[in-house]
């Protein structure tokens, strides 16, 4: 019958999101019989949630395995210890019925009866989510990038040198804060540090996660009443690599916990790298103590790669595909693609794929065809063009975008304009805010909100992504993440 439960579990994995399966299905103990399932949940809360949320899914997953129709599958769900409690109650009731009536003069038993009556009742504890503790640190095999494949140049050499120093146990840099726009190598650098530390062989425990993942784990720990366990898992770390710390803006409780973790790590001499799309002075609604700890070591930024760096990046990428990239094609791509590294890699991937599809070598004519889908950032649109295209896309006018309206379309349209202006122009956050009579903190909040929505596979996130893509295409820009 265990084999049948394994089959049912596989069906549920296909039907449910991995997070739902891990939280609600994985902790169950199951007994499969001819007519259905008997499931034992960790506690009454989980049992109740399963009955209210997943009864139909359980029946649907079990039906083909048991050879029944879904409505014929009998699913019984109970909390661990529930059946045992029932047996104990029944046993007590039967013993009470068999016990003879007490004699009137049995006064010796009175004190014990009074004592049992006066004893405080056992208060049941609140049920918690069935989540197992997950280690924060990574193994050596999990690192995707390394310093060996990172192209160093005048726009990022300080950040790379500081990161390499952090990766050495004998280094003098213990804390590093790196900021840049998206696609310039922050993730590459952080993972390169993790790999280098793992390969050093010092058995240092390295934690790598985004600020949003940190917040998600914190919320899970709150629900599971396991805050001490959450803190303990981070106290085990020797090195913390945390990305996108601007996510903490306006989240006070998250900031308090992050501050406690960072202070604990730094107090014992641990190492830390923090990355963000914004510099520390641009972060708003973040505790000053937390910002101070972020910046307690080396603070540096990374700029867009120079043309020589872009040629080097393209050459290395081509070699990974075992493709010969002619100098003329490389020079053309490096001259036209002056944006982020992801844009260059995307264009080169498209070029190589098209060449293989046509069974021909890489040449300038083919490169020009592919480049028509991309754009030279230097020839990008000005702010007025972006504003016009945003208005057309969302059916708004400039007055509505600059208004104080909180209508959904106005807010999303305004945030899209913030995002695209930051991404495709050289305007500062203050200058963007002035165009809408907003403070630069509002611009940061709007960009962060839009980025979070774009990263989600929700209906709204996909709608915004299509709108952004259309605006960029109409502006003659490549479709690339910020």
């Amino acid at each position: 019958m265990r084999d049948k439960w394994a089959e049912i579990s596989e069906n549920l994995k296909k039907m449910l999101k991995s997070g739902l399966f891990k939280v609600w299905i994985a902790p169950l103990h199951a007994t499969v019989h001819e007519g259905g399932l008997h499931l034992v949940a960790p506690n009454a809360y989980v049992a109740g949630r399963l009955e209210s949320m997943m009864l139909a899914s359980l029946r649907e997953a079990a039906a083909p395995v048991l050879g029944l129709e879904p409505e014929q599958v009998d699913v019984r769900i109970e909390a661990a210890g529930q059946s045992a409690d029932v047996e104990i109650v029944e046993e007590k009731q039967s013993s009470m019925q068999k016990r003879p009536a007490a004699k009137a003069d049995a006064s010796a038993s009175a004190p014990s009866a009074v004592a049992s009556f006066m004893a405080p009742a056992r208060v049941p504890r609140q049920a918690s989510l069935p989540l197992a503790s997950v280690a924060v640190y990574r193994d050596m095999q999990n690192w995707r990038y390394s310093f060996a494949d990172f192209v160093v140049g005048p726009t990022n050499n300080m950040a790379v040198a500081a990161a390499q120093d952090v990766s050495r146990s004998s280094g003098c840099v213990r804390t590093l804060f790196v900021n840049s726009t998206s696609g310039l190598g922050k993730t590459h650098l952080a993972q390169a540090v993790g790999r280098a530390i793992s390969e050093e062989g010092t058995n240092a425990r390295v934690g790598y996660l985004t600020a949003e993942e940190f917040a998600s784990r914190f919320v899970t720990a709150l629900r599971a009443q396991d805050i001490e366990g959450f803190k303990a898992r981070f106290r085990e770390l020797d090195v913390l690599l945390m990305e996108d710390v601007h996510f903490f803006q306006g989240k006070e409780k998250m900031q308090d916990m992050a501050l406690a973790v960072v202070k604990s790590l730094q107090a014992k001499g641990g190492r830390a790298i923090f990355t963000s799309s914004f510099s520390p002075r641009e972060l708003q609604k973040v505790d000053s103590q937390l910002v101070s700890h972020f910046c307690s070591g080396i603070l540096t930024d990374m700029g867009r790669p120079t043309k020589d760096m872009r040629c080097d990046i393209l050459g290395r990428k081509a070699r990974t595909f075992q493709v010969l990239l002619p100098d003329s094609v490389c020079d053309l791509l490096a001259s036209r693609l002056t944006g982020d590294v992801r844009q260059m890699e995307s264009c080169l991937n498209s070029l190589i794929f098209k060449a293989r599809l046509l069974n021909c070598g890489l040449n300038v004519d083919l490169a020009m065809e592919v480049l028509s889908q991309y754009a030279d950032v230097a020839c990008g649109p000005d702010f007025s063009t972006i504003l016009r295209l945003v208005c057309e896309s969302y059916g708004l006018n400039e007055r509505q975008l600059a208004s104080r309206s909180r209508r959904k379309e106005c807010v999303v349209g305004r945030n899209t304009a913030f995002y695209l202006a930051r991404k495709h122009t050289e305007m500062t956050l203050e200058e963007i805010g002035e165009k809408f009579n907003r403070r630069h903190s509002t611009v940061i909040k709007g960009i962060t909100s839009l980025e979070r929505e774009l990263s989600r596979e929700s209906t709204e996130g996909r709608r915004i992504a299509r709108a952004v893509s259309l605006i960029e295409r109409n502006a003659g820009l490549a479709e690339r993440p910020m």
Side-chain angles (χ1 to χ4, degrees):
M1 289 299 178
R2 292 294 301 173
D3 292 339
K4 287 191 175 181
W5 173 242
E7 291 180 38
I8 295 170
S9 295
E10 284 300 317
N11 291 341
L12 287 166
K13 281 183 182 178
K14 297 173 184 176
M15 295 165 59
L16 304 174
K17 292 182 179 179
S18 59
L20 288 175
F21 181 88
K22 182 178 178 182
V23 171
W24 301 106
I25 304 300
L28 299 177
H29 293 283
T31 303
V32 182
H33 53 84
E34 290 184 0
L37 306 171
H38 177 211
L39 303 175
V40 179
N43 53 53
Y45 173 74
V46 177
R49 294 288 287 176
L50 285 169
E51 287 188 351
S52 63
M53 293 194 319
M54 298 190 181
L55 210 53
S57 298
L58 287 165
R59 285 175 173 149
E60 190 175 339
V65 178
L66 299 175
L68 301 171
E69 293 297 321
E71 58 271 14
Q72 295 176 323
V73 178
D74 176 38
V75 179
R76 286 181 297 150
I77 305 171
E78 64 182 34
Q82 184 176 322
S83 56
D85 290 343
V86 172
E87 290 176 6
I88 291 171
V89 170
E90 289 176 349
E91 185 179 338
K92 285 184 178 179
Q93 288 176 345
S94 62
S95 64
M96 289 290 289
Q97 291 171 356
K98 292 178 182 178
R99 186 182 300 167
K103 293 182 180 180
D105 60 347
S107 58
S109 64
S112 62
V114 172
S116 69
F117 177 78
M118 295 298 293
R122 183 164 58 90
V123 179
R125 291 183 301 172
Q126 184 179 352
S128 59
L129 289 172
L131 294 179
S133 61
V134 181
V136 180
Y137 48 87
R138 281 194 170 200
D139 296 326
M140 188 171 66
Q141 293 82 0
N142 292 336
W143 303 107
R144 182 179 176 186
Y145 302 111
S146 70
F147 284 118
D149 50 19
F150 194 92
V151 175
V152 183
T155 60
N156 62 16
N157 53 6
M158 181 175 173
V160 175
Q164 288 174 331
D165 195 86
V166 172
S167 68
R168 292 188 287 268
S169 57
S170 58
C172 61
V173 179
R174 313 305 289 178
T175 303
L176 173 63
F177 188 101
V178 181
N179 72 89
S180 76
T181 56
S182 183
L184 297 184
K186 296 190 300 292
T187 296
H188 191 142
L189 202 61
Q191 291 213 15
V193 170
R195 178 187 285 270
I197 293 171
S198 298
E199 291 175 347
E200 193 177 30
T202 57
N203 295 322
R205 291 181 172 180
V206 183
Y208 172 78
L209 72 172
T210 65
E212 187 169 3
E213 288 170 341
F214 178 92
S216 177
R217 293 188 184 204
F218 175 56
V219 171
T220 299
L222 277 175
R223 290 174 177 170
Q225 300 178 359
D226 187 33
I227 292 297
E228 288 307 313
F230 176 84
K231 290 180 180 178
R233 287 190 284 279
F234 279 93
R235 279 196 295 265
E236 293 174 351
L237 296 178
D238 301 301
V239 184
L240 175 62
L241 310 173
M242 185 179 290
E243 294 213 67
D244 301 331
V245 295
H246 53 270
F247 177 81
F248 288 133
Q249 292 176 124
K251 301 174 176 65
E252 292 183 9
K253 291 189 179 296
M254 309 292 181
Q255 293 173 31
D256 292 341
M257 182 54 64
L259 179 60
V261 168
V262 173
K263 286 174 71 173
S264 173
L265 178 71
Q266 293 179 337
K268 70 176 185 179
R271 292 168 277 173
I273 290 183
F274 305 104
T275 73
S276 174
S277 296
F278 306 105
S279 66
R281 68 180 178 83
E282 293 175 332
L283 295 175
Q284 297 293 315
K285 296 183 180 179
V286 177
D287 185 87
S288 59
Q289 288 189 66
L290 183 57
V291 174
S292 176
H293 280 277
F294 284 161
C295 305
S296 60
I298 299 295
L299 173 61
T300 184
D301 64 351
M302 294 195 297
R304 288 176 177 170
T306 64
K307 184 178 179 181
D308 288 341
M309 292 170 66
R310 295 196 295 271
C311 287
D312 196 357
I313 292 168
L314 291 166
R316 292 190 187 196
K317 188 69 176 177
R319 285 193 290 275
T320 63
F321 284 102
Q322 298 182 335
V323 170
L324 177 63
L325 182 64
D327 291 341
S328 57
V329 175
C330 183
D331 186 73
L332 174 65
L333 297 180
S335 298
R336 290 288 304 275
L337 302 171
T338 59
D340 59 55
V341 177
R342 291 196 190 104
Q343 179 194 22
M344 288 187 286
E345 291 184 347
S346 171
C347 184
L348 184 61
N349 289 344
S350 300
L351 177 59
I352 292 171
F353 180 81
K354 190 165 188 175
R356 287 176 174 171
L357 191 66
L358 299 175
N359 195 24
C360 66
L362 304 184
N363 57 69
V364 173
D365 291 339
L366 195 63
M368 287 297 293
E369 287 183 28
V370 174
L371 277 169
S372 65
Q373 302 299 317
Y374 294 81
D376 186 348
V377 171
C379 300
D382 56 16
F383 179 79
S384 60
T385 302
I386 289 174
L387 201 59
R388 177 178 59 80
L389 292 171
V390 169
C391 288
E392 290 175 359
S393 179
Y394 288 97
L396 302 169
N397 56 48
E398 293 184 16
R399 184 176 53 80
Q400 289 174 311
L401 280 185
S403 71
R404 294 289 171 182
S405 172
R406 300 299 301 168
R407 196 160 58 91
K408 183 179 178 182
E409 287 300 314
C410 290
V411 172
V412 175
R414 194 180 303 125
N415 290 345
T416 302
F418 292 161
Y419 173 85
L420 292 172
R422 170 75 172 179
K423 181 178 178 182
H424 294 298
T425 72
E426 298 300 322
M427 295 173 67
T428 65
L429 294 170
E430 289 82 359
E431 290 170 342
I432 296 171
E434 286 173 3
K435 296 289 186 179
F436 296 90
N437 298 316
R438 300 295 199 281
R439 292 179 298 180
H440 82 286
S441 59
T442 305
V443 178
I444 293 174
K445 183 179 178 182
I447 293 172
T448 303
S449 173
L450 194 82
E451 285 180 328
R452 185 164 60 247
E453 206 62 59
L454 287 171
S455 68
R456 292 176 179 164
E457 287 299 320
S458 62
T459 303
E460 179 66 12
R462 288 191 291 270
R463 187 179 75 86
I464 295 173
R466 285 194 296 270
V468 170
S469 175
L470 180 62
I471 292 167
E472 289 183 322
R473 193 159 57 246
N474 289 340
L477 293 166
E479 183 183 42
R480 61 185 189 278
M482 183 176 175

